[in-house]
Amino acid sequence: MQPLADKIRPTSLDDVFGQEHILGKGKILNKIINSGFIPNMIFYGPPGVGKTTVANIAAKKSNKKFYKLNATNASVKDIKDIVDDIGTLLTHNGVLLYLDEIQNFNKKQQQSLLEFIENGQITLIASTTENPYHYIYKAILSRASVFEFKPLNENEIKRAVLRAIEILNNEEDNKTFFNDEAVSYISRICGGDVRRALNVVELCAGSVESDEVGNKYVDLDRVMECSQIKILNYDKDGDSHYDILSAFQKSIRGSDVDASLHYLARLIKAGDLISICRRLLVIASEDIGLAYPNAIVITKSCVDSAMQLGFPEARIPLAQAVITLATSPKSNSAICAIDKALMDLEEKNIGDIPVYLKDSHYSGAEKLGRGIEYKYPHDYPNNYVKQQYLPDNIKDALYYFPGKNKMEEKIQLYMRGIKNEIK
């Protein structure tokens, strides 16, 4: 039996909901498809947002022989079979190949397409849920236009759901009625994925009993029963993983405690304990750092507790760490300092370590001049004596610049004090 999502798939751009930024009136992809002159294109975005639908519409407009492959189960032989049709009566207008999930093709498989894309014998529309700049062979990328498809908002999903219900009822003598609460809930919990929403509609319609005249009525309780747990777009090896982690860190860095907890909740929902713990430890030093040095101690304790407890209890120390970090003063002086020092290693001839700093704890070291002129700081007032520690070539290099916060102002004051710079 054909799934509802495929049965009611739009055949014109007017029936496609969402993607107004590329498919709206006067927008670039709308113009391209309606012109009938279809170039090589890559559609990038999460599942269920219209990539396949738009590719099918583009194929019909192109008037070319349409082939469709899914890279999860296709092979080079499948591509060769399509190539063998080139030049026949079937393909006198050319070939348009829709390759779904192209990220599952390895480099060799993607290269097998290149010759035919270059000479124009095959027009390629590829779709991917992963960032094409990470997963697609650069030679193909350079010959294709990339269009990003975005998750649909709640209103766009709702329009698609109502259209599906209307089509469903037009095809059957008996009607299935969804109340407003049911439709709104479906639109809200599907995560911007039309296909997921339509699958819930289909499941609800198929599982509810008919009344005495044959009609069906779907309420909120039935939708909640059929949809079970809301599924979030999250792939531990894909873009959504890094996007959520990025938003998580940037929210903590921006001292937005509520947003930080929201993205923590997403990561908890995905069960991704390791990534949460690693990122929190990084944030404690990268974004809070010397403004609140104890942040790393607290975070480490919370992370250790979370790892020992596991979910669901781990959510509690994780939330404690997130709230602590988000509400702490911020400083990036530590990461800036070490990155500046590392850059000098890459870009400069740093020279040799001063001879008096070299190891002198062995027989014969003195004959080599090791340690002879070294001044032992503890023999001097304030446990400090001025001497050169950096190599001659970079003796004036400065890496650490204190941040503007109470803790680092105290550090700066202390350093000036031991150097007798404060009168």
Side-chain angles (χ1 to χ4, degrees):
M1 183 176 175
Q2 188 180 17
L4 177 63
D6 286 332
K7 186 187 300 184
I8 68 166
R9 190 183 294 279
T11 56
S12 74
L13 293 180
D14 293 336
D15 292 328
V16 176
F17 298 116
Q19 314 313 329
E20 285 293 319
H21 62 294
I22 50 176
L23 291 177
K25 187 176 181 180
K27 298 298 183 180
I28 181 64
L29 189 53
N30 184 307
K31 288 182 175 181
I32 288 173
I33 292 173
N34 283 320
S35 74
F37 180 74
I38 309 300
N40 298 309
M41 296 185 290
I42 295 168
F43 294 166
Y44 156 51
V49 294
K51 301 188 298 295
T52 301
T53 296
V54 174
N56 287 338
I57 295 171
K60 290 179 181 177
K61 287 280 190 178
S62 73
N63 200 29
K64 295 183 178 184
K65 175 66 176 175
F66 183 49
Y67 294 86
K68 183 177 178 180
L69 295 176
N70 190 304
T72 56
N73 52 30
S75 65
V76 173
K77 182 182 181 302
D78 295 312
I79 296 172
K80 288 181 178 177
D81 290 342
I82 294 172
V83 170
D84 289 341
D85 286 345
I86 293 174
T88 66
L89 289 174
L90 289 172
T91 62
H92 66 280
N93 286 329
V95 167
L96 190 148
L97 169 62
Y98 176 56
L99 182 58
D100 197 12
E101 305 293 346
I102 189 176
Q103 76 274 7
N104 290 305
F105 261 12
N106 59 36
K107 184 176 179 180
K108 182 178 179 181
Q109 289 171 309
Q110 291 186 40
Q111 284 177 320
S112 67
L113 289 166
L114 195 56
E115 174 187 348
F116 305 99
I117 293 173
E118 282 184 325
N119 62 27
Q121 291 179 295
I122 290 179
T123 298
L124 175 70
I125 299 180
S127 69
T128 176
T129 56
E130 305 295 347
N131 192 322
Y133 297 99
H134 296 163
Y135 289 89
I136 297 179
Y137 184 45
K138 286 183 172 55
I140 289 180
L141 273 178
S142 69
R143 292 163 176 81
S145 298
V146 177
F147 294 96
E148 182 177 3
F149 284 60
K150 299 179 180 179
L152 277 67
N153 63 40
E154 191 174 327
N155 287 333
E156 291 164 342
I157 294 286
K158 189 172 185 178
R159 290 169 60 201
V161 168
L162 292 173
R163 175 178 177 272
I165 295 169
E166 181 181 0
I167 293 174
L168 197 63
N169 286 333
N170 287 339
E171 291 182 346
E172 299 177 0
D173 294 332
N174 298 319
K175 308 299 182 185
T176 302
F177 299 97
F178 287 70
N179 66 25
D180 291 342
E181 280 188 321
V183 172
S184 295
Y185 185 78
I186 294 171
S187 306
R188 190 167 61 251
I189 60 97
C190 67
D193 184 334
V194 175
R195 187 185 299 111
R196 188 180 297 162
L198 298 186
N199 287 343
V200 174
V201 169
E202 186 173 29
L203 184 58
C204 290
S207 63
V208 72
E209 294 180 359
S210 303
D211 64 8
E212 61 275 6
V213 296
N215 292 329
K216 299 178 179 181
Y217 294 87
V218 177
D219 59 13
L220 178 59
D221 289 340
R222 177 50 58 106
V223 172
M224 293 179 72
E225 183 182 355
C226 290
S227 59
Q228 294 297 315
I229 298 173
K230 179 180 177 182
I231 301 172
L232 296 173
N233 286 326
Y234 189 85
D235 178 356
K236 288 186 181 181
D237 297 317
D239 272 0
S240 58
H241 167 78
Y242 296 105
D243 287 345
I244 294 173
L245 284 173
S246 176
F248 180 51
Q249 180 164 0
K250 287 171 181 172
S251 297
I252 293 175
R253 181 185 296 152
S255 300
D256 189 326
V257 67
D258 298 305
S260 303
L261 287 166
H262 166 77
Y263 291 113
L264 173 64
R266 287 199 189 194
L267 293 163
I268 290 172
K269 190 77 171 175
D272 197 357
L273 181 57
I274 298 295
S275 292
I276 298 170
C277 292
R278 290 185 72 252
R279 190 55 64 110
L280 287 173
L281 290 170
V282 168
I283 293 167
S285 291
E286 179 179 345
D287 295 306
I288 286 78
L290 291 164
Y292 181 35
N294 278 340
I296 185 68
V297 179
I298 296 170
T299 301
K300 180 64 166 60
S301 296
C302 290
V303 163
D304 288 347
S305 298
M307 294 295 287
Q308 188 171 353
L309 290 168
F311 287 129
E313 289 85 357
R315 74 190 190 284
I316 305 167
L318 292 176
Q320 179 182 344
V322 166
I323 294 169
T324 299
L325 295 176
T327 57
S328 292
K330 305 297 188 293
S331 172
N332 68 343
S333 60
I335 185 175
C336 290
I338 188 59
D339 284 352
K340 198 169 187 297
L342 287 167
M343 189 180 297
D344 272 3
L345 298 184
E346 294 291 331
E347 298 180 353
K348 295 181 179 179
N349 176 14
I350 56 176
D352 198 12
I353 298 170
V355 67
Y356 49 86
L357 296 183
K358 293 184 177 182
D359 181 27
S360 59
H361 294 87
Y362 58 89
S363 176
E366 189 173 344
K367 294 179 180 178
L368 296 174
R370 305 293 195 262
I372 294 174
E373 297 179 7
Y374 174 61
K375 297 174 183 176
Y376 188 57
H378 297 297
D379 290 338
Y380 295 84
N382 299 323
N383 300 303
Y384 172 81
V385 61
K386 186 174 182 180
Q387 64 184 327
Q388 181 183 324
Y389 291 95
L390 282 167
D392 286 340
N393 291 4
I394 55 169
K395 65 180 181 180
D396 296 320
L398 297 175
Y399 299 124
Y400 173 59
F401 295 90
K404 294 181 179 179
N405 55 77
K406 288 184 178 179
M407 182 59 67
E408 289 187 271
E409 285 172 359
K410 288 181 180 179
I411 292 172
Q412 192 172 21
L413 195 61
Y414 166 74
M415 294 300 295
R416 291 178 61 194
I418 65 171
K419 297 176 182 179
N420 292 316
E421 293 175 357
I422 300 175
K423 304 299 183 185

